[in-house]
Amino acid sequence: MKILKNNLLLQIIIAIALGSSLGTVLPEAVSRIFITFNSIFDAFLKFAVPLIIVGLIIPAIGNIGKSAGKLLLITTAIAYGSTIFSGFLTYGISISIFPKLLSSHKIDVLQSKVADLTPYFTLSIPPLLDVMSALVIAFIIGISISKGNKTYLEGVFKDFEQIVMFIINKMIIPFLPLFIFGVFINMTYTGQVFLILETFIKIIGVIFALHIFLLILQYTIAGLIAKKNPFLLIKNMFPAYITALGTQSSAATIPVTLKQTLKNDVNPKIAGFTIPLCATIHLAGSTLKIVACSIALMLISGQTIDPTQMIGFILMLGITMVAAPGVPGGAIMAALGILGSILGFNTDQQTLMIALYVAMDSFGTACNVMGDGAIAVVVNKINKAEA
């Protein structure tokens, strides 16, 4: 029971399995109880997302600017560049592969709610801000804190960040499996669930191959810059990769990542600076998963993919990832706002995004951690060149 309690992935797998098997067995009256919960939880989630954006992005921007030295700016720029490069690379490959791979997968249930499986009642919780307003406010206040001596305001938003983390850890993530269970009951009821699960398998396979390709590319670039064998660099960092698979946390893997980075002849001071920083701001693997999953879901739900829209989404996603909390599923929670506001994802699409993301959370975290080691090698070379 303890393993189940602490393993979000296992909980979601069980929720999907139960929802897929019980959707046609449960009486409609019972199924509507779960649909009612989903309706209330969805309203709360939409209320919470702008608060999550404000609570996470303001302290993140403020903290980066506070210690704005040259090395910090270089590392941050490389981390952001790596993150959005991952996004654009994934977009290019996904738009080439997914249309043919998913050509027979069209899921009508994503377009609208099934009329005859409705909640018993609904609860309206209007958000205090819309998503774009929250983003603009977060950028303005975060930049202001980073530029001036606003210690009181900084303290207020650090406290608010703790409140937001409480909301995520205690009020959202624990109920996600039940929410996903309700969604899959609804999809099974409409006869779409097996098509969705088949789609999941194809998407996960492509994303796994993509994340291996991204890691080889990252270390090839780092090796060229530092004039080192990229595969030897990867070999030295592999224990950190394995550790991240188990912990599903970049922060928890920091001691191993730091130890292995030193084996790549990175200055201990540089490693001690870049690894903890990149564990917070460098989420290339998470970006890869979100971009690939969003394109796949847009294709199977019949949405038009606008390249200009996707460019804006990827650039904004790179910033949002800086503020993502270091908990399982934290990156996708931070991204829900722009998935809805920029790509127009509805509740069902966002729920499928969460399920897909968490299903691959270990590999995304491992990709993030390995990328941190590549960045440390590059920053170390830049620091040597300027010394």
Side-chain angles (χ1 to χ4, degrees), residues 261-275:
T261 301
L262 296 177
K263 292 184 178 181
N264 283 333
D265 296 324
V266 175
N267 185 305
K269 290 183 179 179
I270 299 298
F273 170 77
T274 55
I275 294 302

Side-chain angles (χ1 to χ4, degrees), residues 54-383:
V54 170
L56 296 179
I57 290 182
I58 290 176
I61 294 176
N63 288 340
I64 288 175
K66 277 290 177 183
S67 54
K70 188 174 182 179
L71 196 60
L72 173 71
L73 294 176
I74 290 172
T75 306
T76 302
I78 293 173
Y80 179 72
S82 172
T83 299
I84 62 170
F85 173 78
S86 170
F88 285 118
L89 176 70
T90 304
Y91 169 71
I93 295 176
S94 298
I95 208 68
S96 301
I97 294 175
F98 283 150
K100 185 176 181 180
L101 185 68
L102 304 175
S103 59
S104 61
H105 298 66
K106 296 296 178 184
I107 302 176
D108 296 333
V109 72
L110 294 179
Q111 299 298 332
S112 61
K113 294 290 184 182
V114 177
D116 59 350
L117 197 57
T118 56
Y120 285 109
F121 63 90
T122 59
L123 183 65
S124 177
I125 313 175
L128 298 176
L129 297 166
D130 62 37
V131 169
M132 290 309 298
S133 296
L135 283 167
V136 171
I137 288 173
F139 292 150
I140 291 172
I141 297 177
I143 292 170
S144 298
I145 289 174
S146 72
K147 295 298 182 183
N149 188 25
K150 300 176 178 63
T151 54
Y152 175 77
L153 191 60
E154 182 181 7
V156 167
F157 281 103
K158 283 188 176 180
D159 288 343
F160 187 61
E161 181 183 25
Q162 296 304 310
I163 294 172
V164 166
M165 289 300 298
F166 175 82
I167 292 172
I168 292 172
N169 287 323
K170 303 298 182 182
M171 301 175 71
I172 294 179
I173 288 180
F175 292 102
L176 281 178
L178 183 59
F179 185 58
I180 290 170
F181 173 71
V183 168
F184 273 82
I185 279 183
N186 195 21
M187 291 179 178
T188 305
Y189 187 85
T190 62
Q192 298 281 356
V193 69
F194 294 111
L195 186 60
I196 293 168
L197 292 177
E198 182 186 349
T199 304
F200 270 29
I201 292 170
K202 289 183 176 181
I203 295 171
I204 290 171
V206 171
I207 290 176
F208 178 75
L210 262 175
H211 109 269
I212 297 298
F213 176 73
L214 176 64
L215 287 176
I216 293 173
L217 184 59
Q218 285 177 332
Y219 275 89
T220 299
I221 294 171
L224 287 172
I225 292 173
K227 297 181 180 179
K228 294 179 180 293
N229 184 333
F231 293 100
L232 181 60
L233 296 175
I234 291 173
K235 179 184 175 183
N236 289 337
M237 290 301 301
F238 194 66
Y241 181 90
I242 297 298
T243 304
L245 284 177
T247 63
Q248 295 184 325
S249 169
S250 297
T253 312
I254 285 175
V256 180
T257 312
L258 188 57
K259 178 183 176 182
Q260 299 307 124
T261 301
L262 296 177
K263 292 184 178 181
N264 283 333
D265 296 324
V266 175
N267 185 305
K269 290 183 179 179
I270 299 298
F273 170 77
T274 55
I275 294 302
L277 177 63
C278 287
T280 304
I281 67 172
H282 180 235
L283 281 83
S286 300
T287 301
L288 183 157
K289 290 189 298 179
I290 292 172
V291 171
C293 290
S294 64
I295 291 172
L297 291 182
M298 289 172 77
L299 286 170
I300 64 176
S301 58
Q303 282 183 248
T304 301
I305 298 177
D306 181 358
T308 304
Q309 182 187 53
M310 287 304 301
I311 289 172
F313 172 72
I314 292 169
L315 293 174
M316 187 62 72
L317 182 63
I319 296 172
T320 305
M321 290 297 95
V322 172
V327 296
I332 190 62
M333 295 308 303
L336 287 180
I338 59 173
L339 282 168
S341 63
I342 298 179
L343 299 186
F345 273 31
N346 61 27
T347 301
D348 287 338
Q349 288 169 303
Q350 290 180 2
T351 306
L352 289 176
M353 282 290 298
I354 293 170
L356 270 169
Y357 184 92
V358 174
M360 299 174 287
D361 200 26
S362 293
F363 293 108
T365 302
C367 187
N368 293 338
V369 165
M370 285 288 284
D372 296 347
I375 289 177
V377 170
V378 173
V379 172
N380 185 67
K381 178 63 177 179
I382 293 172
N383 186 64

